Amino acid sequence: MDVTRFQSLISQLTEEIASVPLDSSLESHLNAQHGAGTYLYDQLFEACKVGVRDGWLCNREADGIRYGRVLKATEATHGFSVDVVEMEDIAGPHHFHPNGEIDLIMPLTAGASFDGHPAGWCVYEPGSAHRPTVAKGRALVLYLLPEGAIKFTAAAA
């Protein structure tokens, strides 16, 4: 697995969801069709583990979080950027999703969760905001951001 093959795998998914509204229906669809234990989920999880191991994913670190943008939003990814983070029992920086956010949760520790969600998919609608939190262990989280749009903010009180 390398960045080019990873992009090909991501492109298969982003082609499927490129014109779909980011909402609870998309989250349900992703979990039903590509949730934990499915072929695509397993392929993406393995690709992320290899990418971290080989240093082309999560190649930066700040405040106990490993992270990195591996793909910019381009035609090849149907307008989605791809970031991957590795977190363990920590809350990340508060941010706002102008166009929404699609998260693939891949626990490295059995039972680890992301914002209360187990292994699988979580979708945040446009205009939403959160402080991303991994609890009960360590996890990789892949973020798909339409147009690569994200705005970091002061933490909500």
Side-chain angles (χ1 to χ4, degrees):
M1 182 61 64
D2 59 16
V3 175
T4 301
R5 288 174 48 204
F6 182 75
Q7 179 177 304
S8 177
L9 191 59
I10 290 293
S11 292
Q12 294 171 30
L13 174 66
T14 56
E15 181 178 25
E16 177 183 329
I17 64 172
S19 61
V20 177
L22 275 64
D23 59 19
S24 60
S25 294
L26 176 58
E27 182 176 311
S28 295
H29 168 78
L30 288 170
N31 280 307
Q33 299 301 312
H34 307 298
T38 65
Y39 178 78
L40 183 61
Y41 178 93
D42 291 344
Q43 291 293 305
L44 287 169
F45 197 174
E46 186 60 28
C48 288
K49 289 189 284 189
V50 169
V52 170
R53 182 195 71 208
D54 292 351
W56 52 267
L57 280 180
C58 301
N59 54 7
R60 295 187 168 119
E61 187 170 350
D63 300 321
I65 299 171
R66 293 179 65 194
Y67 66 96
R69 176 158 291 179
V70 66
L71 299 171
K72 293 181 179 181
T74 65
E75 285 184 27
T77 58
H78 305 92
F80 289 91
S81 66
V82 180
D83 297 78
V84 177
V85 299
E86 182 177 359
M87 302 169 67
E88 182 173 5
D89 295 319
I90 193 169
H94 189 269
H95 62 268
F96 169 72
H97 316 118
N99 303 325
E101 177 180 276
I102 301 169
D103 303 321
L104 175 60
I105 303 138
M106 301 166 282
L108 295 166
T109 303
S113 65
F114 173 76
D115 287 356
H117 297 272
W121 297 90
C122 173
V123 175
Y124 287 95
E125 295 184 5
S128 60
H130 69 139
R131 188 165 182 205
T133 303
V134 169
K136 302 178 196 160
R138 189 166 60 107
L140 292 170
V141 182
L142 182 149
Y143 297 92
L144 296 171
L145 294 165
E147 300 175 27
I150 188 171
K151 294 186 179 189
F152 289 91
T153 57

